[in-house]
Amino acid sequence: MQIECKIALQRELGLPVRPDCPLIGFIGRLDYEKGIDIILSGAPDLLQDDVQFIMLGSGEKQYENWMRATEATLKDKFRGWVGFNVPISQLQGWGRQTQIHGDRFRCGSRRLVGVYNTVYISLVICIILNINRYFC
């Protein structure tokens, strides 16, 4: 089922349909507390690899603008949905293989809800260990 959801998500967002390509997702508020600065610092290296990356969220304008600009330059690899969309967030929940989660102030308080075979990357670990290459 995950592959079918992944393909549906890729089609819905206009990404190339590539069942074999790792799909990374982030859903959340775009601000410092959620570690968006860490995502931005690692994204150029990450997006050089054979991956697709989807972000849903709203918040600080600089991060919203970064998502728009990144999508404009990396159309086959990145989608940035400014705002929130329930159907897309649910489809992302089932279709991604990796979920990025960050919270500088409430370590471990967010329930990591996902599906079988989804890897969660916690930015809290990166902050504590001061490692930001590929989000740990």
Side-chain angles (χ1 to χ4, degrees):
M1 174 146 172
Q2 186 178 34
I3 293 297
E4 291 85 3
C5 289
K6 177 181 182 178
I7 290 169
L9 180 62
Q10 289 170 325
R11 284 186 179 138
E12 179 69 26
L13 296 178
L15 286 168
V17 174
R18 298 192 50 217
D20 60 325
C21 182
L23 182 60
I24 301 166
F26 172 88
I27 301 173
R29 196 170 63 249
L30 305 177
D31 66 22
Y32 177 79
E33 177 183 343
K34 297 300 180 185
I36 298 302
D37 57 312
I38 295 171
I39 294 173
L40 268 62
S41 71
D45 287 337
L46 179 69
L47 290 168
Q48 287 181 18
D49 290 336
D50 188 23
V51 299
Q52 292 177 333
F53 188 14
I54 299 169
M55 292 179 66
L56 272 73
S58 61
E60 295 182 30
K61 295 298 177 206
Q62 64 182 345
Y63 302 133
E64 291 178 359
N65 292 337
W66 176 86
M67 287 185 359
R68 290 181 184 107
T70 302
E71 181 175 327
T73 58
L74 297 170
K75 292 180 187 278
D76 290 345
K77 300 183 94 114
F78 182 85
R79 286 295 178 273
W81 190 290
V82 176
F84 187 72
N85 180 293
V86 173
I88 295 296
S89 70
Q90 290 171 340
L91 199 54
Q92 187 190 125
W94 285 99
R96 67 182 177 236
Q97 285 98 3
T98 305
Q99 168 66 33
I100 296 176
H101 167 293
D103 199 320
R104 280 188 160 86
F105 307 116
R106 291 183 299 271
C107 181
S109 67
R110 181 179 181 269
R111 247 182 38 201
L112 295 177
V113 178
V115 278
Y116 181 68
N117 286 338
T118 298
V119 175
Y120 288 93
I121 300 173
S122 177
L123 298 181
V124 173
I125 295 170
C126 297
I127 294 164
I128 292 169
L129 298 177
N130 195 25
I131 298 170
N132 65 9
R133 177 141 174 89
Y134 295 109
F135 314 117
C136 300

